[in-house]
PDB file of all heavy atoms in Angstrom:
ATOM      1  N   VAL A 168       8.124 -10.746 178.065  1.00 96.00           N
ATOM      2  CA  VAL A 168       8.497  -9.933 176.834  1.00 96.00           C
ATOM      3  C   VAL A 168       7.243  -9.764 176.103  1.00 96.00           C
ATOM      4  O   VAL A 168       6.938  -8.661 175.562  1.00 96.00           O
ATOM      5  CB  VAL A 168       9.527 -10.766 176.040  1.00 96.00           C
ATOM      6  CG1 VAL A 168       9.640 -10.295 174.572  1.00 96.00           C
ATOM      7  CG2 VAL A 168      10.887 -10.662 176.704  1.00 96.00           C
ATOM      8  N   PHE A 169       6.459 -10.760 175.824  1.00 96.00           N
ATOM      9  CA  PHE A 169       5.235 -10.739 175.065  1.00 96.00           C
ATOM     10  C   PHE A 169       4.131  -9.752 175.756  1.00 96.00           C
ATOM     11  O   PHE A 169       3.396  -9.045 175.120  1.00 96.00           O
ATOM     12  CB  PHE A 169       4.546 -12.052 174.792  1.00 96.00           C
ATOM     13  CG  PHE A 169       5.138 -12.779 173.695  1.00 96.00           C
ATOM     14  CD1 PHE A 169       5.714 -14.067 173.857  1.00 96.00           C
ATOM     15  CD2 PHE A 169       5.230 -12.266 172.399  1.00 96.00           C
ATOM     16  CE1 PHE A 169       6.231 -14.790 172.792  1.00 96.00           C
ATOM     17  CE2 PHE A 169       5.838 -12.935 171.288  1.00 96.00           C
ATOM     18  CZ  PHE A 169       6.307 -14.152 171.518  1.00 96.00           C
ATOM     19  N   PHE A 170       4.162  -9.863 177.100  1.00 96.00           N
ATOM     20  CA  PHE A 170       3.127  -9.004 177.807  1.00 96.00           C
ATOM     21  C   PHE A 170       3.472  -7.563 177.585  1.00 96.00           C
ATOM     22  O   PHE A 170       2.649  -6.721 177.244  1.00 96.00           O
ATOM     23  CB  PHE A 170       3.250  -9.213 179.275  1.00 96.00           C
ATOM     24  CG  PHE A 170       2.445  -8.384 180.105  1.00 96.00           C
ATOM     25  CD1 PHE A 170       1.029  -8.560 180.359  1.00 96.00           C
ATOM     26  CD2 PHE A 170       2.938  -7.280 180.787  1.00 96.00           C
ATOM     27  CE1 PHE A 170       0.194  -7.788 181.135  1.00 96.00           C
ATOM     28  CE2 PHE A 170       2.200  -6.364 181.565  1.00 96.00           C
ATOM     29  CZ  PHE A 170       0.779  -6.702 181.737  1.00 96.00           C
ATOM     30  N   TRP A 171       4.812  -7.198 177.757  1.00 96.00           N
ATOM     31  CA  TRP A 171       5.166  -5.780 177.609  1.00 96.00           C
ATOM     32  C   TRP A 171       5.193  -5.354 176.149  1.00 96.00           C
ATOM     33  O   TRP A 171       5.115  -4.101 175.849  1.00 96.00           O
ATOM     34  CB  TRP A 171       6.612  -5.535 178.228  1.00 96.00           C
ATOM     35  CG  TRP A 171       6.410  -5.482 179.753  1.00 96.00           C
ATOM     36  CD1 TRP A 171       6.688  -6.326 180.691  1.00 96.00           C
ATOM     37  CD2 TRP A 171       5.727  -4.447 180.376  1.00 96.00           C
ATOM     38  NE1 TRP A 171       6.282  -6.001 181.913  1.00 96.00           N
ATOM     39  CE2 TRP A 171       5.690  -4.810 181.863  1.00 96.00           C
ATOM     40  CE3 TRP A 171       5.119  -3.197 180.065  1.00 96.00           C
ATOM     41  CZ2 TRP A 171       5.136  -3.996 182.843  1.00 96.00           C
ATOM     42  CZ3 TRP A 171       4.509  -2.461 181.114  1.00 96.00           C
ATOM     43  CH2 TRP A 171       4.536  -2.762 182.384  1.00 96.00           C
ATOM     44  N   PHE A 172       5.267  -6.463 175.213  1.00 94.00           N
ATOM     45  CA  PHE A 172       5.028  -5.984 173.732  1.00 94.00           C
ATOM     46  C   PHE A 172       3.655  -5.514 173.559  1.00 94.00           C
ATOM     47  O   PHE A 172       3.370  -4.534 172.939  1.00 94.00           O
ATOM     48  CB  PHE A 172       5.429  -7.217 172.877  1.00 94.00           C
ATOM     49  CG  PHE A 172       4.996  -7.031 171.374  1.00 94.00           C
ATOM     50  CD1 PHE A 172       5.607  -6.241 170.570  1.00 94.00           C
ATOM     51  CD2 PHE A 172       3.807  -7.576 170.931  1.00 94.00           C
ATOM     52  CE1 PHE A 172       5.354  -5.948 169.301  1.00 94.00           C
ATOM     53  CE2 PHE A 172       3.454  -7.478 169.627  1.00 94.00           C
ATOM     54  CZ  PHE A 172       4.203  -6.566 168.796  1.00 94.00           C
ATOM     55  N   ALA A 173       2.736  -6.280 174.231  1.00 92.00           N
ATOM     56  CA  ALA A 173       1.178  -5.935 174.175  1.00 92.00           C
ATOM     57  C   ALA A 173       1.042  -4.516 174.600  1.00 92.00           C
ATOM     58  O   ALA A 173       0.216  -3.703 174.189  1.00 92.00           O
ATOM     59  CB  ALA A 173       0.399  -6.923 174.790  1.00 92.00           C
ATOM     60  N   ILE A 174       1.765  -4.103 175.603  1.00 92.00           N
ATOM     61  CA  ILE A 174       1.580  -2.938 176.474  1.00 92.00           C
ATOM     62  C   ILE A 174       2.313  -1.669 175.684  1.00 92.00           C
ATOM     63  O   ILE A 174       1.781  -0.664 175.384  1.00 92.00           O
ATOM     64  CB  ILE A 174       2.061  -2.874 177.882  1.00 92.00           C
ATOM     65  CG1 ILE A 174       1.288  -3.916 178.527  1.00 92.00           C
ATOM     66  CG2 ILE A 174       1.901  -1.532 178.601  1.00 92.00           C
ATOM     67  CD1 ILE A 174      -0.184  -3.586 178.768  1.00 92.00           C
ATOM     68  N   GLY A 175       3.633  -2.052 175.322  1.00 91.00           N
ATOM     69  CA  GLY A 175       4.494  -0.891 174.727  1.00 91.00           C
ATOM     70  C   GLY A 175       4.941  -1.164 173.455  1.00 91.00           C
ATOM     71  O   GLY A 175       6.093  -0.390 173.080  1.00 91.00           O
ATOM     72  N   GLY A 176       4.539  -2.165 172.772  1.00 91.00           N
ATOM     73  CA  GLY A 176       5.089  -2.539 171.467  1.00 91.00           C
ATOM     74  C   GLY A 176       6.581  -3.079 171.649  1.00 91.00           C
ATOM     75  O   GLY A 176       6.930  -3.449 172.671  1.00 91.00           O
ATOM     76  N   GLN A 311      -3.633 -13.779 174.336  1.00 92.00           N
ATOM     77  CA  GLN A 311      -3.137 -12.454 173.985  1.00 92.00           C
ATOM     78  C   GLN A 311      -3.631 -12.013 172.580  1.00 92.00           C
ATOM     79  O   GLN A 311      -3.969 -10.870 172.281  1.00 92.00           O
ATOM     80  CB  GLN A 311      -1.634 -12.395 174.190  1.00 92.00           C
ATOM     81  CG  GLN A 311      -1.053 -10.991 173.834  1.00 92.00           C
ATOM     82  CD  GLN A 311       0.384 -10.851 174.330  1.00 92.00           C
ATOM     83  OE1 GLN A 311       0.733 -11.370 175.468  1.00 92.00           O
ATOM     84  NE2 GLN A 311       1.096 -10.222 173.651  1.00 92.00           N
ATOM     85  N   LEU A 315      -5.912  -8.838 171.881  1.00 83.00           N
ATOM     86  CA  LEU A 315      -5.356  -7.660 170.912  1.00 83.00           C
ATOM     87  C   LEU A 315      -6.296  -7.551 169.744  1.00 83.00           C
ATOM     88  O   LEU A 315      -6.594  -6.392 169.223  1.00 83.00           O
ATOM     89  CB  LEU A 315      -3.995  -8.065 170.483  1.00 83.00           C
ATOM     90  CG  LEU A 315      -2.809  -7.739 171.377  1.00 83.00           C
ATOM     91  CD1 LEU A 315      -1.428  -8.327 170.829  1.00 83.00           C
ATOM     92  CD2 LEU A 315      -2.751  -6.478 171.907  1.00 83.00           C
TER      93      LEU A 315
END
Side-chain angles (χ1 to χ4, degrees):
V168 165
F169 278 126
F170 175 84
W171 285 106
F172 170 75
I174 300 296
Q311 182 167 320
L315 285 176

